[in-house]
Amino acid sequence: MSAAQPSSEPSLRRYLEHPRGGPTVLRIVLGTQLRRLREAAGITREAAGDHIRASHAKISRLELGRVGCKERDVADLLTLYDVTDAEARAGFLTLARRTSTPGWWHQYSDVLPSWFETHIGLEEAASVIRTYEVQFVPGLLQTADYARAVSRLGHPGAGPEETEQRVRLRLERQKLLTVKDAPRFWAVVDEACLRRPLGGAEVMAEQLRHLLTVAQLPNVTLQIAPFALGGLAAAGGPITILRFLEPDLPDIVYLEQLTSALYLDKRDDVDHYLAVMDRLSAQAESPRESLAALDRLLGQYS
């Protein structure tokens, strides 16, 4: 067994015994461990790719957790990296098999773009989720009727069943906030999200009441960025930052676009967005002031 392997075993064991986040996270963990083994062995991506009859680009995608991998390829890489211990190899191969197991969200694949599937997997494993929204109430805090209005706006050509499928997916995601060891969810919501009567006054009144309720959860922090602030530090679209307890999972910035998304994990990028989020939180109303603002807004819709 290579010298690098002992430090890898505890992390693998944690994920084998207590999987969280589904195949998305498992791919990242496996890729990170394989990268460490390759680097410890002094082997290039090109050489690793040649060994499994693949390009160095495939090795890069594998190490970043962006693609699944065959057990045979993992076994061949372990041999190349001089990992000979039978128990250690078995752990890696078990993890490789589990990266192909569909997550709960697979049942919604007909309405779930691949770029958002990654986000759901990361969301499941996060210990802290921080988000800033400029147009809509955050998805994890939406009511069914509000989510339905958002879906119809974004997919005007969709039929009723497709719309309902998207709503069911959104509500299923929200269970994350009330499970055991739920992540801390910290949202800064622009006042525009709450002033825009998406779905009509009745839908918005229900949505505001729901925000007042969910903000009482011990793991949920809700702040409103009022119009009175003028310009905001984000100066653009929505931002989500996912943080993890596991050392194999780097902090990730998620930037959703119209038909795709960006996932940033380079330290400089993450630090920049964390600083932006910190400024937003400092500028926004406090959680207590935000609840009072929600009460006032509710009076306008009721």
Side-chain angles (χ1 to χ4, degrees):
M1 182 173 64
S2 72
Q5 183 55 29
S7 64
S8 303
E9 285 186 36
S11 181
L12 285 182
R13 193 177 303 118
R14 282 196 299 273
Y15 279 97
L16 291 172
E17 294 174 355
H18 305 287
R20 182 175 175 180
T24 304
V25 168
L26 296 182
R27 285 197 300 266
I28 295 174
V29 171
L30 178 60
T32 299
Q33 295 291 349
L34 290 174
R35 175 182 56 77
R36 289 176 179 168
L37 290 171
R38 177 182 60 75
E39 291 175 346
I43 294 170
T44 66
R45 287 194 182 94
E46 288 78 4
D50 289 343
H51 192 72
I52 62 168
R53 302 158 297 281
S55 66
H56 73 277
K58 178 179 177 179
I59 294 295
S60 179
R61 291 194 297 271
L62 189 156
E63 291 181 351
L64 290 170
R66 293 176 181 168
V67 295
C69 49
K70 299 176 182 176
E71 283 185 65
R72 184 188 68 182
D73 289 342
V74 172
D76 288 347
L77 289 173
L78 293 174
T79 298
L80 178 64
Y81 303 155
D82 196 27
V83 179
T84 57
D85 181 83
E87 186 177 351
R89 290 177 66 91
F92 275 101
L93 295 176
T94 299
L95 196 57
R97 281 194 297 275
R98 292 186 182 177
T99 63
S100 301
T101 302
W104 63 260
W105 49 88
H106 181 71
Q107 61 186 302
Y108 300 100
S109 58
D110 54 333
V111 296
L112 183 61
S114 58
W115 50 266
F116 192 68
E117 181 179 345
T118 299
H119 177 67
I120 293 180
L122 293 172
E123 198 174 64
E124 288 274 311
S127 60
V128 179
I129 303 170
R130 298 183 66 179
T131 190
Y132 168 64
E133 282 287 350
V134 296
Q135 184 174 4
F136 303 117
V137 169
L140 290 175
L141 303 181
Q142 293 178 7
T143 64
D145 284 338
Y146 186 93
R148 194 168 290 115
V150 172
S151 181
R152 288 170 178 161
L153 185 64
H155 306 274
E161 179 53 35
E162 183 178 331
T163 297
E164 291 308 305
Q165 184 79 326
R166 288 193 170 88
V167 173
R168 287 191 290 269
L169 169 60
R170 186 145 301 184
L171 297 181
E172 189 69 26
R173 282 175 57 210
Q174 294 177 4
K175 294 178 180 179
L176 177 71
L177 296 181
T178 53
V179 298
K180 181 182 178 182
D181 298 324
R184 181 185 178 195
F185 184 70
W186 185 356
V188 178
V189 179
D190 194 279
E191 185 178 349
C193 302
L194 309 175
R195 291 284 185 182
R196 186 175 291 110
L198 193 61
E202 188 174 328
V203 170
M204 280 304 302
E206 180 192 19
Q207 177 63 69
L208 292 174
R209 284 191 290 268
H210 179 65
L211 289 176
L212 285 166
T213 299
V214 77
Q216 303 301 321
L217 291 173
N219 57 311
V220 173
T221 300
L222 179 62
Q223 293 181 266
I224 296 174
F227 289 143
L229 286 177
L232 292 171
I239 301 168
T240 298
I241 302 175
L242 302 114
R243 312 200 73 175
F244 309 90
L245 293 176
E246 293 294 342
D248 288 336
L249 295 172
D251 295 346
I252 292 176
V253 176
Y254 171 74
L255 303 174
E256 186 169 322
Q257 301 172 336
L258 189 60
T259 57
S260 63
L262 294 176
Y263 293 86
L264 308 178
D265 60 5
K266 291 183 179 179
R267 192 68 254 171
D268 287 348
D269 290 334
V270 173
D271 286 347
H272 172 75
Y273 278 97
L274 279 171
V276 167
M277 195 69 80
D278 286 342
R279 289 198 299 272
L280 282 169
S281 300
Q283 289 176 307
E285 302 279 10
S286 70
R288 179 177 295 181
E289 292 168 338
S290 296
L291 290 179
L294 285 173
D295 262 328
R296 291 193 296 272
L297 283 167
L298 181 58
Q300 296 178 25
Y301 284 113
S302 301

